Every structure is written in C-alpha cells, then in structure tokens.
Amino acid sequence: MFLWNSWNHFQCNIDEWTVKTTADALVSTGLAALGYKYVNIDDCWAEESRDWKGNLRPKSSTFPSGIKALADYVHARGLKLGIYSDAGYTTCSKKMPGSLGHEQQDASTFAQWGIDYLKYDNCYHDGSAPQDRYAKMSYALHKVGRQFFTLYVNGERSTQQNGLAVRVTSIADENNRWGRYAGPGRWNDPDMLEVGNGEMTLEEYRSHFSIWALMKAPLLIGCDVRSASRQTLRILGNKEVIDVNQDPLGVQGRKIRSKAGLEIWAGPLSRKRVVVVLLNRSGSRAPISVGWREVGLSPYSPVIVRDLWARSFVSMSKRYGLTAYVAPHACKIYILTPNS
C-alpha cells in the first residue's frame, strides 16, 4: 500500500487546500501512476468537541468545505482519501476527540463522507487491551463496508529531529523482530517515510527507502510532495525498488547478519529471486560481502545481479557471492535471479 500522510511534515498545520494541492501534486509528479493512491489526513482535522448528536465535526477554520467535499475532490483525481482517529478519549495531539465509545458512530460518519482508509492511533485510552478496542472499530468499519485501516499500538509521537537517521535504523531493527508475523493482509508498519523532509542525506534517504521496501512496509510519503526535489522524487519513484515492496510472494525481508555496523538484509521474492540490501551503518566506507548460500541460493549456480539504484546489471552470471564497497550510511540493493 502506498500513500501520502500529512503528519511528518505538517503535523497539526493541515488544511483542505494543502490536501487538495497534494492530491494534484501526486498526479502531476507521476507518483499516483506508480501506486501512491491514498491521501491521508492525520491528526488535528476536527473540532475539539463533537456536535450535539455526538458526531465528529471537521474544523471549520481549516476544512470549511467539509470532508465529504474533500473526498469528492480527491476521488475525482483517481485517488483515495484517508483520515485519522484514535482508540482513546482524545487523539495523540489532544486537539480532537478520539473514537473510544463512538466506534460505530464514527465509522458511519467516515463512510458517509466517502473515506477509504483509517489510521487508528492508541493515545489517552481507558487502559483496556488495545486488541479489544481495535476489534470494535474493525467490526464497525466492516459493518459500513470500510475495511482498510492501520493500527498504531504504541500511541506515542515524537517531534524530535535530532539523530533522525539513527531513529530510522532503530525503527527498522524493531520492525525486523516482527518479520515472521507479516504477510498478505497483515503488514508490519514501521511508520511514515522521512524521505524529502530535509533531515537526512540522500544516501540515508536511499537506505531508508530500500529497507522499508525490503521489509514490505507500507510506503507512506511523509514530505511535502508539492515542493519535493528531483532527487526526492527519483527515490520515491524508483519503480524497481517499489516492485520489491509490492512483490506478490509477500515475505518480509529480514536482517541476516550484522557486525561493526555492516549489515546484510535479505528476503525471498517471487520467481525464485532474492532481494539483498548491503547496509553500512558505520561512519566510514567499507566492503560488505554476501555469499549466495547465506541468502538461500546455490553458490555454484550462476546468478544475474541487478543493482536497483544504479539501474544496471552488475553481472549476468555471478557465482558464490559478491562484495561491494558501501559509503557511510549508504546501501546497495540488489535483486539476485538464478540464471539456470
């Protein structure tokens, strides 16, 4: 699943004009054609209190036309509209009501507005098990014909930007622990992409995008696509890396080796192929080697090696393994295809 989400870049500074122009930009940049079809409004879109009937109300100062009109605008461009709520009394910003105790009412409201997707957070709740609270919303959405939503278990937010590259790799490590539970219809979501938000280098952005793609994580754009640089658009729009993310086999890639900040991540793909990421988390350029046996291939059989960032073939008949010199915080991502 691909989408744009407002939180990482705009946080609470979101309005209908931003959403509309972002939808237009997804189309004009070609990102929509690559699969980025969902435009998701995160926290702070509603008034601080419900109306006299208990319904959520779009914030009149920022969404004066209402959410239904906004959904119509987004749908007219061949896209889908997502929205945000919380399995608690208020959302994580404390600036709008959560859906706890209003699950069916809110699900019905979202359906009436034409909402296609719900991001459901976990702040300021009653202490009951999140599985129970999520199940209530899942049932409510199913009842109104809306079944696509993402659950956020931790219910924690951080606006701290220091050491963002470190935080991103730490999130990847955490997501790696849950790899065996992932599969079609139940993807682990390590949160939105930071690509294009200006806090990391281009190499770090490529590494970030590569690992998220290998992990089959939902690709959630978190930058302002209206002003995104060509380099940012090239990263977000690399179809070969996107195809790894969308591979029909649906197996989350995992970290298979790590030593002194030099890592190998790998996973199986359809048609007996394997994706491999060589990731350098250290501060200096270093060689990283991977053997075919480590990633489930015969060391004696020739392999076609495709470099997805260089968009070129490294070899049409490589045996045993390969070694690449990788810059600090950079990566190499390859698809290995048995050539026999």
Side-chain angles (χ1 to χ4, degrees):
M1 181 190 71
F2 310 6
L3 61 81
W4 172 87
N5 184 282
S6 62
W7 183 259
N8 276 10
H9 189 85
F10 295 96
Q11 299 187 9
C12 280
N13 301 311
I14 187 68
D15 56 40
E16 66 179 47
W17 180 81
T18 301
V19 176
K20 286 181 176 180
T21 52
T22 295
D24 293 338
L26 287 173
V27 174
S28 65
T29 58
L31 289 171
L34 288 169
Y36 294 96
K37 297 288 190 182
Y38 285 80
V39 181
N40 197 73
I41 310 165
D42 210 285
D43 207 345
C44 309
W45 59 267
E47 298 285 3
E48 291 187 5
S49 61
R50 294 172 179 269
D51 68 15
W52 67 276
K53 292 183 179 180
N55 294 313
L56 291 169
R57 300 178 296 150
K59 200 170 181 179
S60 61
S61 62
T62 51
F63 292 90
S65 304
I67 303 299
K68 176 65 170 66
L70 186 55
D72 291 344
Y73 185 96
V74 170
H75 291 156
R77 280 139 188 83
L79 305 175
K80 298 179 184 295
L81 185 67
I83 210 161
Y84 169 94
S85 189
D86 188 284
Y89 297 114
T90 70
T91 61
C92 295
S93 70
K94 291 188 177 180
K95 294 188 176 181
M96 58 174 277
S99 292
L100 184 62
H102 292 268
E103 291 86 358
Q104 194 61 63
Q105 185 174 18
D106 291 352
S108 297
T109 296
F110 298 151
Q112 289 164 14
W113 288 343
I115 295 296
D116 304 291
Y117 165 89
L118 174 65
K119 174 182 172 180
Y120 205 44
D121 226 326
N122 190 37
C123 289
Y124 306 114
H125 49 77
D126 59 1
S128 60
Q131 295 90 334
D132 295 337
R133 287 177 284 115
Y134 293 151
K136 288 179 182 177
M137 181 55 83
S138 178
Y139 176 77
L141 291 169
H142 181 80
K143 195 172 177 180
V144 297
R146 296 291 191 274
Q147 300 180 47
F148 205 0
F149 74 129
T150 296
L151 313 176
Y152 280 73
V153 176
N154 290 334
E156 298 175 350
R157 278 220 174 109
S158 172
T159 58
Q160 178 185 356
Q161 295 299 308
N162 294 331
L164 187 55
V166 175
R167 285 205 297 119
V168 165
T169 51
S170 296
I171 291 169
D173 289 339
E174 178 67 20
N175 196 62
N176 184 58
R177 293 175 49 208
W178 302 98
R180 66 184 181 276
Y181 299 108
R186 56 182 195 281
W187 305 113
N188 292 319
D189 183 359
D191 217 341
M192 294 159 279
L193 293 161
E194 290 286 356
V195 176
N197 274 332
E199 299 292 335
M200 297 160 65
T201 67
L202 280 174
E203 292 287 15
E204 288 168 345
Y205 285 151
R206 290 190 192 99
S207 296
H208 180 17
F209 196 71
S210 299
I211 293 294
W212 260 235
L214 173 138
M215 294 192 300
K216 308 299 186 293
L219 298 179
L220 316 181
I221 297 176
C223 69
D224 187 348
V225 296
R226 302 170 304 173
S227 58
S229 68
R230 288 184 181 179
Q231 292 123 322
T232 293
L233 294 175
R234 277 200 292 267
I235 292 170
L236 296 173
N238 186 317
K239 189 174 185 306
E240 292 187 67
V241 180
I242 289 171
D243 286 347
V244 168
N245 180 261
Q246 296 293 296
D247 185 75
L249 187 62
V251 176
Q252 178 173 326
R254 308 281 297 279
K255 186 192 300 188
I256 63 170
R257 177 152 57 85
S258 178
K259 184 177 181 181
L262 307 180
E263 299 184 348
I264 298 171
W265 296 65
L269 299 175
S270 58
R271 305 196 305 278
K272 299 181 179 179
R273 298 170 303 150
V274 175
V275 58
V276 173
V277 171
L278 308 182
L279 177 65
N280 183 356
R281 290 167 73 159
S282 79
S284 57
R285 185 170 181 263
I288 304 177
S289 299
V290 60
W292 290 171
R293 198 186 300 277
E294 290 183 273
V295 296
L297 297 173
S298 167
Y300 309 110
S301 299
V303 168
I304 301 169
V305 181
R306 174 78 174 177
D307 184 326
L308 303 192
W309 287 117
R311 304 190 191 211
S312 63
F313 290 102
V314 175
S315 173
M316 300 303 291
S317 185
K318 185 78 170 150
R319 288 181 169 84
Y320 308 116
L322 67 83
T323 298
Y325 279 84
V326 185
H329 299 182
C331 81
K332 299 285 188 179
I333 180 169
Y334 303 107
I335 286 183
L336 310 179
T337 305
N339 188 13
S340 58

